[in-house]
Amino acid sequence: MSDNRPIGIFDSGLGGLTVTKEIIRCLPNEDIVYFGDTSRVPYGTKGAQTIKRYAKEDERFLLSKDVKLIVAACGTVSSVAPDTALDLPVPFIEVISHSVDAAIKATKNKKIGVLATAATIKSGAHKNKILKKMPDALVTEVSGSLLVSLVEEGFTDKNDPLTLEAVKKYVKPFIENKVDTVILGCTHFPIIAEAISKVLGENVTLINMGVATALAVKETLCRLDLLNNSGGNHRFYVSDKGAEFKKTASILLGEEIDENNIETAVIDTI
Ligand code: DGL
């Protein structure tokens, strides 16, 4: 049996394209509908109630596209608003749990760092999940919201002095606490993984939540017999096409998006 309906993926903006990239790599025959809430990004600096309402609206938009599974490709939504998915009629995958599992598998000294947005860090989602599975772990959490802006502005080269300076400041607690594994808990950070690695050194393992999540999506589709063997179409919706839209989207997806596949969507508010 197979299911040819698309996978729905959403994010506060375009950052979720880093997760989408990994899902496409892992599941090339799946159709995908992506929604980026570009008119309301960032979510990472907002309060929990607002993030939950936005997440619910984003999920409803994807359901209107008849998706078979929803991925919250946003660290902030996944940590602050996972309960908005409780009454969804389709399977839901968030990006925290699988990154935590990958970090627990990778760490040798049980010292794990989390780099994410302010809202994600405030939620304590990673830390709680890590400590549940590894009670004697030392978890160091750092909020690195400025790094989101640097990526969006295109300061992504591993030798960029501005980015390196910001990374050095943010990862200092990781170095002080001798972490050997860092979860990149925000969509944008895989783009500057090389710069982060350059500062932390190659012995520190960086966990890309897109990779961990893509494997979970594949496993879920296989288990529920929902795989599509003949798709591969990708449709992108955004709530606003800002001036830098194309540039930012191609940085995050790692390839140009065909203009014909992008639509502006009006979201029904709750
Ligand atoms: N997508 C968000 C995340 O992964 C980063 C951008 C934002 O703050 O909305 O947390």
Side-chain angles (χ1 to χ4, degrees):
M1 212 180 81
S2 69
D3 188 328
N4 294 347
R5 289 176 298 163
I7 296 173
I9 305 176
F10 76 97
D11 176 49
S12 55
L14 299 173
L17 292 173
T18 61
V19 178
T20 305
K21 178 167 84 180
E22 300 303 336
I23 293 175
I24 291 173
R25 210 197 303 258
C26 196
L27 291 159
N29 294 326
E30 292 294 332
D31 288 345
I32 287 172
V33 173
Y34 179 91
F35 174 67
D37 196 5
T38 44
S39 69
R40 302 192 291 196
V41 71
Y43 287 7
T45 49
K46 298 200 166 72
Q49 286 316 315
T50 305
I51 297 166
K52 284 183 187 188
R53 180 160 49 85
Y54 288 176
K56 199 85 214 137
E57 291 166 1
D58 301 344
E59 286 156 8
R60 284 202 336 193
F61 173 77
L62 287 178
L63 287 177
S64 77
K65 300 290 168 199
D66 194 25
V67 297
K68 61 183 170 185
L69 175 144
I70 290 182
V71 181
C74 175
T76 303
V77 167
S78 299
S79 52
V80 177
D83 49 343
T84 58
L86 288 178
D87 53 359
L88 285 178
V90 295
F92 172 79
I93 294 187
E94 40 78 21
V95 288
I96 308 290
S97 306
H98 310 288
S99 332
V100 162
D101 290 344
I104 287 177
K105 211 165 156 195
T107 184
K108 292 192 175 68
N109 67 4
K110 300 188 178 180
K111 293 179 177 165
I112 300 174
V114 181
L115 186 61
T117 64
T120 298
I121 296 301
K122 190 168 172 227
S123 79
H126 291 92
K127 188 172 184 172
N128 294 340
K129 282 186 195 290
I130 293 169
L131 292 179
K132 219 174 205 168
K133 295 196 167 175
M134 192 180 257
D136 54 344
L138 175 77
V139 184
T140 306
E141 300 167 287
V142 173
S143 135
S145 299
L146 173 62
L147 297 175
V148 174
S149 309
L150 285 168
V151 170
E152 298 225 336
E153 289 299 319
F155 296 106
T156 54
D157 191 278
K158 68 173 188 290
N159 297 317
D160 188 282
L162 205 57
T163 301
L164 281 175
E165 211 42 56
V167 168
K168 267 183 210 155
K169 182 174 161 16
Y170 283 122
V171 304
K172 210 164 156 221
F174 297 152
I175 296 171
E176 282 166 0
N177 288 347
K178 300 190 169 47
V179 307
D180 72 351
T181 304
V182 173
I183 298 176
L184 303 180
C186 168
T187 46
H188 290 55
F189 299 165
I191 303 293
I192 49 167
E194 283 187 319
I196 296 171
S197 237
K198 200 169 165 190
V199 177
L200 283 176
E202 279 175 8
N203 291 335
V204 176
T205 306
L206 301 182
I207 305 295
N208 178 331
M209 62 187 191
V211 174
T213 303
L215 291 173
V217 172
K218 187 172 183 178
E219 185 278 319
T220 304
L221 293 181
C222 288
R223 184 166 39 83
L224 301 177
D225 218 356
L226 294 177
L227 281 171
N228 181 354
N229 301 315
S230 56
N233 298 312
H234 308 141
R235 186 120 206 102
F236 299 91
Y237 293 88
V238 287
S239 48
D240 183 80
K241 277 192 199 177
E244 300 283 0
F245 171 81
K246 269 213 95 166
K247 186 188 97 185
T248 313
S250 53
I251 291 172
L252 293 161
L253 188 66
E255 61 182 73
E256 289 276 310
I257 298 184
D258 181 349
E259 273 291 347
N260 297 319
N261 287 333
I262 309 167
E263 258 180 66
T264 307
V266 180
I267 290 295
D268 284 337
T269 49
I270 296 173

